[in-house]
Coordinates of all heavy atoms in Angstrom, one line a residue:
M1 N 5.8 -4.3 9.7 CA 4.9 -4.4 10.8 C 5.7 -4.8 12.0 O 5.1 -5.1 13.1 CB 3.7 -5.3 10.5 CG 2.9 -4.9 9.4 SD 1.9 -3.4 9.7 CE 0.9 -3.9 10.9
S2 N 7.0 -4.9 12.0 CA 7.8 -5.4 13.1 C 8.0 -4.2 14.1 O 7.8 -3.1 13.7 CB 9.1 -5.8 12.5 OG 10.0 -6.1 13.6
T3 N 8.2 -4.6 15.3 CA 8.5 -3.6 16.3 C 10.0 -3.2 16.3 O 10.4 -2.2 17.0 CB 8.2 -4.2 17.8 OG1 9.0 -5.4 17.9 CG2 6.8 -4.5 17.9
N4 N 10.9 -3.9 15.5 CA 12.2 -3.5 15.5 C 12.3 -2.3 14.5 O 11.7 -2.2 13.5 CB 13.1 -4.7 14.9 CG 13.0 -5.9 15.9 OD1 12.9 -5.7 17.1 ND2 13.2 -7.1 15.3
P5 N 13.3 -1.4 14.8 CA 13.4 -0.3 13.9 C 14.0 -0.6 12.6 O 14.9 -1.5 12.5 CB 14.4 0.6 14.6 CG 15.1 -0.2 15.6 CD 14.2 -1.3 15.9
S6 N 13.6 -0.1 11.5 CA 14.0 -0.4 10.1 C 15.4 0.3 10.0 O 15.7 1.3 10.5 CB 13.1 0.1 9.1 OG 11.8 -0.4 9.3
S7 N 16.2 -0.4 9.1 CA 17.5 0.2 8.8 C 17.7 0.2 7.3 O 17.0 -0.5 6.6 CB 18.6 -0.6 9.5 OG 18.7 -1.9 9.1
G8 N 18.6 0.9 6.8 CA 19.0 1.0 5.5 C 18.6 2.3 4.9 O 17.9 3.1 5.4
R9 N 19.1 2.5 3.7 CA 19.0 3.8 3.1 C 17.6 4.0 2.5 O 16.9 5.0 2.7 CB 20.0 4.0 1.9 CG 19.9 5.3 1.3 CD 21.1 5.4 0.3 NE 21.0 6.6 -0.5 CZ 21.6 6.9 -1.6 NH1 22.4 5.9 -2.0 NH2 21.5 8.0 -2.2
F10 N 17.0 3.0 1.8 CA 15.7 3.0 1.3 C 14.8 2.1 2.1 O 14.8 0.8 2.0 CB 15.8 2.6 -0.2 CG 16.6 3.5 -1.0 CD1 17.8 3.0 -1.5 CD2 16.2 4.7 -1.4 CE1 18.6 3.7 -2.3 CE2 17.0 5.5 -2.1 CZ 18.3 5.1 -2.6
R11 N 14.0 2.6 2.9 CA 13.1 1.9 3.7 C 11.8 2.5 3.7 O 11.6 3.7 3.7 CB 13.7 1.7 5.1 CG 13.7 3.0 5.8 CD 14.2 2.7 7.3 NE 14.2 3.9 8.1 CZ 15.2 4.8 8.2 NH1 16.3 4.5 7.7 NH2 15.0 5.9 8.9
M12 N 10.8 1.7 3.8 CA 9.4 2.2 4.0 C 8.7 1.2 4.9 O 8.5 0.1 4.7 CB 8.7 2.1 2.5 CG 7.3 2.6 2.6 SD 6.6 2.6 1.0 CE 4.9 3.3 1.4
T13 N 8.2 1.7 5.9 CA 7.5 1.0 7.0 C 6.0 1.2 6.7 O 5.6 2.1 6.2 CB 7.8 1.4 8.4 OG1 7.4 2.8 8.5 CG2 9.3 1.4 8.7
L14 N 5.3 0.1 7.0 CA 3.8 0.1 6.9 C 3.2 0.2 8.2 O 2.2 -0.4 8.5 CB 3.3 -1.1 6.2 CG 3.9 -1.3 4.7 CD1 3.4 -2.6 4.1 CD2 3.4 -0.2 3.9
K15 N 3.7 1.1 9.1 CA 3.2 1.2 10.4 C 2.0 2.1 10.4 O 1.0 2.0 11.2 CB 4.3 1.8 11.3 CG 5.3 0.9 11.8 CD 6.2 1.5 12.8 CE 7.2 0.5 13.2 NZ 8.1 1.2 14.4
K16 N 1.9 3.1 9.6 CA 0.8 4.1 9.5 C -0.1 3.8 8.3 O 0.5 3.4 7.2 CB 1.3 5.5 9.5 CG 2.1 5.9 10.7 CD 2.4 7.3 10.6 CE 3.1 7.7 12.0 NZ 3.5 9.1 12.0
P17 N -1.3 4.0 8.4 CA -2.2 3.8 7.3 C -1.9 4.7 6.1 O -2.1 4.3 4.9 CB -3.6 4.3 7.8 CG -3.5 4.1 9.3 CD -2.1 4.3 9.6
L18 N -1.3 5.8 6.3 CA -0.9 6.7 5.1 C 0.1 6.1 4.3 O 0.0 6.0 3.0 CB -0.5 8.1 5.7 CG 0.1 9.1 4.6 CD1 -1.1 9.4 3.7 CD2 0.7 10.2 5.2
S19 N 1.1 5.4 4.9 CA 2.1 4.7 4.1 C 1.5 3.5 3.3 O 2.0 3.2 2.2 CB 3.3 4.2 4.9 OG 2.9 3.3 5.9
E20 N 0.6 2.8 3.9 CA -0.1 1.7 3.1 C -0.9 2.3 2.0 O -0.9 1.6 0.9 CB -1.0 1.0 4.1 CG -0.3 0.0 5.1 CD -1.3 -0.7 5.9 OE1 -2.4 -0.2 6.2 OE2 -1.0 -1.8 6.4
A21 N -1.6 3.4 2.2 CA -2.3 4.0 1.2 C -1.4 4.4 0.0 O -1.7 4.2 -1.2 CB -3.2 5.1 1.6
L22 N -0.3 5.1 0.4 CA 0.7 5.5 -0.7 C 1.3 4.3 -1.5 O 1.4 4.4 -2.7 CB 1.9 6.3 -0.1 CG 1.5 7.7 0.5 CD1 2.6 8.3 1.2 CD2 1.0 8.5 -0.6
L23 N 1.6 3.3 -0.8 CA 2.1 2.0 -1.5 C 0.9 1.5 -2.4 O 1.2 1.0 -3.5 CB 2.6 1.0 -0.5 CG 3.2 -0.2 -1.1 CD1 4.3 0.1 -2.0 CD2 3.5 -1.2 0.0
G24 N -0.3 1.5 -1.9 CA -1.4 1.0 -2.7 C -1.6 1.8 -4.0 O -1.8 1.2 -5.0
V25 N -1.5 3.1 -3.8 CA -1.7 4.0 -5.1 C -0.6 3.8 -6.0 O -0.8 3.7 -7.2 CB -1.8 5.5 -4.6 CG1 -1.7 6.4 -5.8 CG2 -3.1 5.7 -3.9
L26 N 0.8 3.6 -5.5 CA 1.8 3.3 -6.3 C 1.6 2.0 -7.1 O 1.9 2.0 -8.3 CB 3.1 3.2 -5.5 CG 4.3 2.9 -6.2 CD1 4.8 4.1 -7.1 CD2 5.5 2.5 -5.3
L27 N 1.2 1.0 -6.4 CA 1.0 -0.3 -7.1 C 0.0 -0.2 -8.0 O 0.0 -0.8 -9.2 CB 0.7 -1.4 -6.1 CG 1.9 -1.9 -5.3 CD1 1.5 -2.9 -4.2 CD2 2.9 -2.7 -6.2
L28 N -1.1 0.6 -7.8 CA -2.3 0.6 -8.8 C -1.8 1.4 -10.0 O -2.2 0.9 -11.1 CB -3.4 1.4 -8.0 CG -4.8 1.4 -8.8 CD1 -5.3 0.0 -9.0 CD2 -5.8 2.2 -7.9
V29 N -1.1 2.4 -9.8 CA -0.6 3.2 -10.9 C 0.4 2.4 -11.8 O 0.3 2.4 -13.1 CB 0.1 4.5 -10.5 CG1 0.9 5.2 -11.6 CG2 -1.0 5.5 -9.9
V30 N 1.3 1.6 -11.2 CA 2.2 0.8 -11.9 C 1.4 -0.3 -12.7 O 1.8 -0.6 -13.8 CB 3.3 0.2 -11.0 CG1 4.0 -0.9 -11.6 CG2 4.2 1.2 -10.4
G31 N 0.5 -0.9 -12.0 CA -0.3 -1.9 -12.7 C -1.0 -1.3 -13.9 O -1.1 -2.0 -15.0
I32 N -1.6 -0.1 -13.8 CA -2.3 0.5 -14.9 C -1.3 0.8 -16.0 O -1.6 0.5 -17.2 CB -3.0 1.8 -14.5 CG1 -4.2 1.3 -13.6 CG2 -3.5 2.6 -15.7 CD1 -4.9 2.5 -12.9
L33 N -0.1 1.4 -15.6 CA 1.0 1.6 -16.6 C 1.4 0.4 -17.4 O 1.5 0.4 -18.6 CB 2.1 2.3 -16.1 CG 1.9 3.8 -15.6 CD1 3.2 4.4 -14.9 CD2 1.5 4.7 -16.8
F34 N 1.7 -0.7 -16.8 CA 2.0 -2.0 -17.3 C 0.9 -2.4 -18.2 O 1.2 -2.9 -19.4 CB 2.3 -3.1 -16.2 CG 3.7 -3.0 -15.7 CD1 3.9 -3.4 -14.4 CD2 4.8 -2.5 -16.4 CE1 5.2 -3.3 -13.9 CE2 6.0 -2.5 -15.9 CZ 6.2 -2.9 -14.6
G35 N -0.3 -2.4 -17.7 CA -1.4 -2.8 -18.6 C -1.7 -2.0 -19.9 O -1.8 -2.6 -21.0
V36 N -1.5 -0.7 -19.8 CA -1.8 0.1 -20.9 C -0.6 0.0 -21.9 O -0.8 -0.1 -23.1 CB -1.9 1.6 -20.5 CG1 -1.8 2.6 -21.7 CG2 -3.2 1.8 -19.7
S37 N 0.6 -0.1 -21.4 CA 1.7 -0.2 -22.3 C 1.8 -1.6 -23.0 O 2.2 -1.6 -24.2 CB 3.1 0.0 -21.7 OG 3.3 -1.1 -20.7
A38 N 1.4 -2.6 -22.3 CA 1.5 -4.0 -23.0 C 0.2 -4.2 -23.9 O 0.3 -4.9 -24.9 CB 1.5 -5.0 -22.0
I39 N -1.0 -3.6 -23.5 CA -2.2 -3.9 -24.4 C -2.0 -3.1 -25.7 O -2.5 -3.5 -26.7 CB -3.4 -3.4 -23.6 CG1 -3.7 -4.4 -22.5 CG2 -4.6 -3.3 -24.5 CD1 -4.8 -4.0 -21.5
G40 N -1.2 -2.0 -25.6 CA -1.0 -1.3 -26.9 C -0.1 -1.9 -27.9 O -0.1 -1.5 -29.0
K41 N 0.5 -3.0 -27.6 CA 1.3 -3.8 -28.5 C 0.5 -4.6 -29.4 O -0.6 -4.9 -29.2 CB 2.3 -4.7 -27.7 CG 3.2 -4.1 -26.6 CD 4.3 -3.2 -27.2 CE 5.0 -2.7 -26.1 NZ 6.0 -1.7 -26.5
E42 N 1.1 -5.0 -30.6 CA 0.4 -5.7 -31.5 C 0.4 -7.2 -31.2 O -0.4 -8.0 -31.7 CB 1.0 -5.5 -32.9 CG 0.9 -4.2 -33.4 CD 1.5 -3.9 -34.8 OE1 2.0 -4.9 -35.3 OE2 1.6 -2.7 -35.2
S43 N 1.3 -7.7 -30.3 CA 1.4 -9.1 -30.0 C 0.3 -9.5 -29.0 O 0.0 -8.7 -28.0 CB 2.7 -9.3 -29.4 OG 2.8 -10.6 -28.9
A44 N -0.3 -10.6 -29.1 CA -1.4 -11.1 -28.3 C -0.7 -11.6 -26.9 O -1.3 -11.4 -25.9 CB -2.1 -12.3 -28.9
G45 N 0.5 -12.1 -27.1 CA 1.2 -12.6 -25.8 C 1.4 -11.4 -24.9 O 1.3 -11.5 -23.7
A46 N 1.9 -10.3 -25.4 CA 2.2 -9.0 -24.7 C 1.0 -8.5 -24.0 O 1.0 -8.0 -22.9 CB 2.9 -7.9 -25.6
A47 N -0.2 -8.5 -24.7 CA -1.4 -8.2 -24.2 C -1.9 -9.0 -22.9 O -2.3 -8.5 -22.0 CB -2.5 -8.2 -25.3
V48 N -1.6 -10.3 -23.1 CA -2.0 -11.2 -22.0 C -1.1 -11.0 -20.8 O -1.6 -11.0 -19.7 CB -1.9 -12.7 -22.5 CG1 -1.9 -13.6 -21.4 CG2 -2.9 -13.0 -23.5
V49 N 0.2 -10.8 -21.1 CA 1.1 -10.4 -19.9 C 0.7 -9.1 -19.3 O 0.7 -8.9 -18.1 CB 2.5 -10.4 -20.4 CG1 3.5 -9.9 -19.3 CG2 3.0 -11.9 -20.8
G50 N 0.3 -8.1 -20.1 CA -0.1 -6.8 -19.6 C -1.3 -6.9 -18.7 O -1.3 -6.2 -17.7
V51 N -2.3 -7.7 -19.2 CA -3.5 -7.8 -18.4 C -3.2 -8.6 -17.1 O -3.7 -8.2 -16.1 CB -4.6 -8.6 -19.2 CG1 -5.8 -9.0 -18.3 CG2 -5.0 -7.7 -20.3
G52 N -2.3 -9.5 -17.2 CA -1.9 -10.3 -16.0 C -1.2 -9.3 -14.9 O -1.6 -9.4 -13.8
L53 N -0.3 -8.5 -15.4 CA 0.4 -7.6 -14.6 C -0.6 -6.5 -14.0 O -0.5 -6.1 -12.9 CB 1.6 -6.9 -15.3 CG 2.7 -7.8 -15.5 CD1 3.8 -7.0 -16.4 CD2 3.4 -8.2 -14.2
L54 N -1.6 -6.1 -14.8 CA -2.5 -5.1 -14.4 C -3.4 -5.7 -13.2 O -3.6 -5.1 -12.2 CB -3.5 -4.8 -15.5 CG -4.7 -3.9 -15.2 CD1 -4.3 -2.6 -14.6 CD2 -5.6 -3.8 -16.4
I55 N -3.8 -7.1 -13.4 CA -4.6 -7.7 -12.4 C -3.8 -7.9 -11.1 O -4.2 -7.6 -10.0 CB -5.1 -9.0 -12.9 CG1 -6.2 -8.7 -14.0 CG2 -5.7 -9.9 -11.7 CD1 -6.6 -10.0 -14.7
L56 N -2.5 -8.3 -11.2 CA -1.7 -8.6 -10.0 C -1.3 -7.3 -9.2 O -1.6 -7.2 -8.0 CB -0.4 -9.3 -10.4 CG -0.6 -10.8 -10.8 CD1 0.8 -11.3 -11.3 CD2 -1.1 -11.6 -9.6
A57 N -0.7 -6.4 -10.0 CA -0.3 -5.1 -9.3 C -1.4 -4.3 -8.9 O -1.5 -3.7 -7.8 CB 0.7 -4.4 -10.2
G58 N -2.4 -4.1 -9.8 CA -3.6 -3.4 -9.4 C -4.5 -4.0 -8.3 O -4.9 -3.2 -7.4
G59 N -4.5 -5.3 -8.3 CA -5.3 -6.0 -7.3 C -4.6 -5.8 -5.9 O -5.3 -5.6 -4.9
A60 N -3.3 -5.9 -5.9 CA -2.5 -5.7 -4.6 C -2.7 -4.2 -4.2 O -2.8 -3.9 -3.0 CB -1.1 -5.9 -4.8
G61 N -2.7 -3.3 -5.1 CA -2.9 -1.9 -4.8 C -4.2 -1.6 -4.2 O -4.4 -0.9 -3.2
V62 N -5.3 -2.2 -4.8 CA -6.7 -2.0 -4.3 C -6.8 -2.6 -2.9 O -7.4 -2.1 -2.0 CB -7.7 -2.5 -5.3 CG1 -9.1 -2.7 -4.6 CG2 -7.7 -1.7 -6.6
M63 N -6.2 -3.9 -2.8 CA -6.2 -4.5 -1.5 C -5.5 -3.6 -0.4 O -6.1 -3.4 0.8 CB -5.6 -5.9 -1.5 CG -5.6 -6.6 -0.3 SD -4.8 -8.3 -0.4 CE -3.1 -7.7 -0.4
L64 N -4.4 -3.0 -0.7 CA -3.8 -2.2 0.3 C -4.5 -0.9 0.6 O -4.5 -0.4 1.8 CB -2.4 -1.8 -0.2 CG -1.2 -2.7 0.1 CD1 0.0 -2.4 -0.6 CD2 -1.0 -2.8 1.6
L65 N -5.3 -0.3 -0.4 CA -6.1 0.8 -0.1 C -7.2 0.5 0.8 O -7.5 1.2 1.7 CB -6.6 1.4 -1.4 CG -5.6 2.1 -2.3 CD1 -6.1 2.5 -3.6 CD2 -5.1 3.4 -1.5
V66 N -7.9 -0.7 0.6 CA -8.9 -1.1 1.5 C -8.5 -1.4 2.8 O -9.0 -0.9 3.9 CB -9.6 -2.3 0.9 CG1 -10.6 -3.1 1.9 CG2 -10.4 -2.0 -0.3
I67 N -7.2 -2.0 3.0 CA -6.7 -2.3 4.4 C -6.3 -0.9 5.0 O -6.5 -0.8 6.2 CB -5.5 -3.2 4.2 CG1 -6.0 -4.7 3.8 CG2 -4.6 -3.3 5.5 CD1 -4.8 -5.5 3.5
A68 N -5.7 0.0 4.3 CA -5.4 1.3 4.9 C -6.6 2.0 5.3 O -6.6 2.6 6.4 CB -4.6 2.2 3.9
G69 N -7.7 1.9 4.6 CA -8.9 2.6 5.0 C -9.5 1.9 6.4 O -9.9 2.7 7.3
A70 N -9.4 0.6 6.5 CA -9.9 0.1 7.7 C -9.0 0.3 8.8 O -9.4 0.6 10.0 CB -10.0 -1.5 7.5
R71 N -7.6 0.3 8.6 CA -6.7 0.6 9.6 C -6.7 2.0 10.1 O -6.4 2.4 11.3 CB -5.2 0.3 9.2 CG -5.1 -1.2 9.3 CD -3.6 -1.6 9.2 NE -2.9 -1.1 10.3 CZ -1.7 -0.6 10.3 NH1 -1.0 -0.5 9.2 NH2 -1.0 -0.2 11.4
A72 N -7.1 3.0 9.2 CA -7.2 4.4 9.5 C -8.3 4.6 10.6 O -8.1 5.4 11.5 CB -7.4 5.2 8.3
R73 N -9.4 3.9 10.4 CA -10.5 4.1 11.4 C -10.0 3.5 12.7 O -10.3 4.2 13.8 CB -11.7 3.3 10.9 CG -12.4 4.0 9.7 CD -13.6 3.3 9.2 NE -14.6 3.1 10.2 CZ -15.4 2.1 10.3 NH1 -15.5 1.1 9.4 NH2 -16.3 2.1 11.4
W74 N -9.4 2.4 12.7 CA -9.0 1.7 14.0 C -7.8 2.6 14.5 O -7.8 2.8 15.8 CB -8.4 0.4 13.7 CG -7.6 -0.2 14.8 CD1 -8.3 -0.9 15.9 CD2 -6.3 -0.1 15.2 NE1 -7.3 -1.3 16.7 CE2 -6.1 -0.9 16.4 CE3 -5.1 0.3 14.5 CZ2 -4.9 -1.0 16.9 CZ3 -4.0 0.2 15.1 CH2 -3.8 -0.5 16.4
F75 N -6.9 3.2 13.8 CA -5.9 4.1 14.3 C -6.4 5.3 15.0 O -5.9 5.6 16.1 CB -5.0 4.5 13.1 CG -3.6 4.9 13.4 CD1 -2.6 4.0 13.5 CD2 -3.3 6.3 13.5 CE1 -1.4 4.4 13.7 CE2 -2.1 6.7 13.9 CZ -1.0 5.7 13.9
R76 N -7.4 5.9 14.4 CA -8.0 7.1 15.0 C -8.7 6.7 16.3 O -8.7 7.5 17.3 CB -8.9 7.8 14.1 CG -8.3 8.6 13.0 CD -9.2 9.5 12.3 NE -10.3 8.7 11.6 CZ -10.3 8.2 10.4 NH1 -9.3 8.3 9.7 NH2 -11.3 7.5 9.9
A77 N -9.5 5.6 16.3 CA -10.1 5.2 17.5 C -9.2 4.8 18.7 O -9.3 5.2 19.8 CB -11.1 3.9 17.3
F78 N -8.0 4.2 18.3 CA -7.0 3.9 19.3 C -6.5 5.1 19.9 O -6.2 5.2 21.2 CB -5.9 3.0 18.7 CG -4.9 2.5 19.7 CD1 -5.0 1.3 20.2 CD2 -3.8 3.3 20.1 CE1 -4.2 0.8 21.1 CE2 -3.0 2.8 21.0 CZ -3.1 1.5 21.5
E79 N -6.1 6.2 19.1 CA -5.6 7.4 19.5 C -6.7 8.2 20.4 O -6.2 8.9 21.4 CB -5.2 8.3 18.4 CG -3.8 7.9 17.7 CD -3.4 8.8 16.7 OE1 -4.3 9.5 16.1 OE2 -2.1 9.0 16.5
R80 N -7.9 8.2 20.0 CA -8.9 8.8 20.9 C -9.0 8.1 22.3 O -9.1 8.8 23.3 CB -10.2 8.8 20.2 CG -10.6 9.9 19.4 CD -12.1 10.0 19.1 NE -12.6 8.7 18.6 CZ -12.7 8.3 17.3 NH1 -12.3 9.2 16.4 NH2 -13.3 7.2 17.0
M81 N -9.0 6.9 22.3 CA -9.1 6.1 23.5 C -7.9 6.2 24.5 O -8.0 6.3 25.7 CB -9.5 4.7 23.3 CG -9.8 3.9 24.5 SD -10.3 2.2 24.1 CE -11.9 2.6 23.6
H82 N -6.7 6.0 23.9 CA -5.5 5.9 24.7 C -4.7 7.2 24.7 O -3.7 7.3 25.5 CB -4.6 4.8 24.1 CG -5.3 3.4 24.3 ND1 -5.4 2.7 25.4 CD2 -5.8 2.6 23.3 CE1 -6.0 1.7 25.2 NE2 -6.3 1.5 23.9
G83 N -5.0 8.2 23.8 CA -4.2 9.4 23.9 C -2.9 9.2 23.2 O -2.1 10.2 23.3
R84 N -2.5 8.2 22.5 CA -1.2 8.0 21.9 C -1.3 7.1 20.7 O -2.4 6.4 20.6 CB -0.2 7.4 22.9 CG -0.6 6.0 23.3 CD 0.4 5.3 24.2 NE 0.0 4.1 24.6 CZ 0.0 2.9 23.9 NH1 0.6 3.0 22.7 NH2 -0.3 1.8 24.4
P85 N -0.4 7.1 19.8 CA -0.5 6.2 18.6 C -0.2 4.8 19.1 O 0.4 4.5 20.2 CB 0.7 6.8 17.7 CG 1.4 7.8 18.4 CD 0.7 8.1 19.7
P86 N -0.7 3.8 18.3 CA -0.6 2.4 18.7 C 0.9 1.8 18.7 O 1.0 0.7 19.0 CB -1.5 1.7 17.8 CG -1.7 2.5 16.6 CD -1.4 4.0 17.1
F87 N 1.9 2.6 18.2 CA 3.2 2.0 18.1 C 4.1 2.7 19.0 O 4.0 3.8 19.4 CB 3.7 1.8 16.8 CG 3.5 3.0 15.9 CD1 4.4 4.0 15.9 CD2 2.5 3.2 15.1 CE1 4.3 5.1 15.1 CE2 2.2 4.2 14.3 CZ 3.2 5.3 14.4

């Protein structure tokens, strides 16, 4: 969210709502994969860790999706009013 340009080979800025939504979906899918793979184990400890990772990564993904939805509405309103993107 900085105004300075990003540098480096692998970079992902969260300037646009689409990039936030993509990161949210990625975190949600990773959380589900961790949860499913760990719950399938016979160990109770692995199941607890899997549920914890599901809650952490999935919760962050859902939170980013909600934020992206709210910012998308604001983004469109800003562009309608000012005729340019907000950055």
Side-chain angles (χ1 to χ4, degrees):
M1 300 290 299
S2 173
T3 57
N4 300 330
S6 300
S7 63
R9 185 173 173 195
F10 301 107
R11 64 180 186 265
M12 181 175 181
T13 61
L14 296 177
K15 287 185 176 182
K16 294 186 178 182
L18 178 62
S19 63
E20 282 180 339
L22 289 175
L23 182 60
V25 168
L26 176 73
L27 283 173
L28 190 60
V29 167
V30 166
I32 290 171
L33 288 176
F34 278 147
V36 167
S37 67
I39 289 173
K41 306 285 183 190
E42 295 177 5
S43 171
V48 170
V49 170
V51 169
L53 288 174
L54 172 65
I55 291 170
L56 287 175
V62 169
M63 184 181 71
L64 272 174
L65 286 172
V66 169
I67 291 171
R71 282 194 65 217
R73 291 179 59 209
W74 173 83
F75 202 85
R76 285 191 302 271
F78 188 96
E79 283 184 331
R80 266 194 314 264
M81 183 175 285
H82 299 283
R84 62 175 179 83
F87 48 85

